[in-house]
């Protein structure tokens, strides 16, 4: 397994991986309508993270099997098309780094790839001076994050343009590795 920074030319391929991951791995957690809505309006690559060098691709045998990252910016979740506010830099002395957009190809799920990527991101955020991490978890992601020491802060009910409500869970933990 190789974890490396994502490149801007890979965004279309990563968006396809994200949609496939969300569609398959959300079964049993979200309805089909919720999954379609969140794929359409929220999920995808935030290219600011790619530009910052904090969004990663996990490769096995040269194939992208997962992606995810961390952020030193204020946006808590969502792709470029979901942003509504300026993406200000966070202050590591007072703010938590954001864990962002973790998706694993369904054919490679439950093999420790997400855990390895999460630990990679936590280490990078700590090296950047952050002492805390926070994230907005999808329901399928909650078990991984809980197993890695994240605790729930509060539920988020994200209302889509068609009225569909998709639940997420804000979680946090110390930035230890």
């Amino acid at each position: 397994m190789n974890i490396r920074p994502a490149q801007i030319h890979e965004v279309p391929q990563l968006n396809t991986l994200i949609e496939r991951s969300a569609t398959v791995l959300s079964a049993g957690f979200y309805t089909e309508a919720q999954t379609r809505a969140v794929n359409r309006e929220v999920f995808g690559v935030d290219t600011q993270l790619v530009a910052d060098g904090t969004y990663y691709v996990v490769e096995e045998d040269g194939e992208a099997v997962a992606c995810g990252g961390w952020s030193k910016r204020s946006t808590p979740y969502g792709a470029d098309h979901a942003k509504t506010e300026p993406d200000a830099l966070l202050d590591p002395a007072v703010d938590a780094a954001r864990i962002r957009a973790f998706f694993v190809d369904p054919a490679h799920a439950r093999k420790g790839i997400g855990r390895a990527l999460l630990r990679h991101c936590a280490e990078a955020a700590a090296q950047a001076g952050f002492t805390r991490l926070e994230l907005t978890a999808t329901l399928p992601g909650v078990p991984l994050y809980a197993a890695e020491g994240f605790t729930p802060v509060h539920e988020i009910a994200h209302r889509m343009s068609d009225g569909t409500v998709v639940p997420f869970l804000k979680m946090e933990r110390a930035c230890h590795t």
Side-chain angles (χ1 to χ4, degrees):
M1 174 174 15
N2 177 42
I3 300 173
R4 62 165 178 77
Q7 302 298 312
I8 197 71
H9 72 272
E10 297 175 297
V11 169
Q13 173 192 3
L14 296 177
N15 281 331
T16 299
L17 184 154
I18 289 168
E19 184 172 358
R20 183 173 57 251
S21 175
T23 300
V24 174
L25 299 179
S26 291
F29 293 93
Y30 294 128
T31 67
E32 287 182 21
Q34 288 172 316
T35 300
R36 277 192 309 274
V38 79
N39 270 334
R40 182 180 61 247
E41 295 185 31
V42 178
F43 292 162
V45 176
D46 178 341
T47 56
Q48 182 63 63
L49 276 65
V50 176
D52 288 344
T54 61
Y55 199 68
Y56 304 98
V57 174
V58 181
E59 292 179 323
E60 284 188 352
D61 300 322
E63 175 190 0
V65 297
C67 54
W70 71 277
S71 181
K72 57 187 175 184
R73 297 188 179 270
S74 59
T75 298
Y77 63 93
D80 290 344
H81 59 272
K83 288 185 181 182
T84 58
E85 298 177 11
D87 212 1
L89 287 170
L90 299 170
D91 179 354
V94 295
D95 297 316
R98 313 280 201 254
I99 296 297
R100 300 277 311 275
F102 269 56
F103 294 91
V104 177
D105 186 294
H108 297 271
R110 315 288 184 269
K111 295 180 180 178
I113 294 170
R115 185 178 304 261
L117 182 56
L118 182 58
R119 290 177 179 173
H120 180 86
C121 290
E123 183 177 309
Q127 289 175 356
F130 288 91
T131 60
R132 296 180 306 114
L133 300 171
E134 69 179 39
L135 56 85
T136 304
T138 61
L139 298 185
V142 169
L144 166 66
Y145 300 127
E148 286 294 306
F150 283 84
T151 57
V153 176
H154 61 80
E155 294 179 1
I156 297 169
H158 188 109
R159 183 170 300 279
M160 303 295 157
S161 64
D162 66 1
T164 302
V165 176
V166 179
F168 297 109
L169 184 62
K170 182 175 179 179
M171 303 178 81
E172 66 182 9
R173 74 157 217 215
C175 200
H176 61 275
T177 55

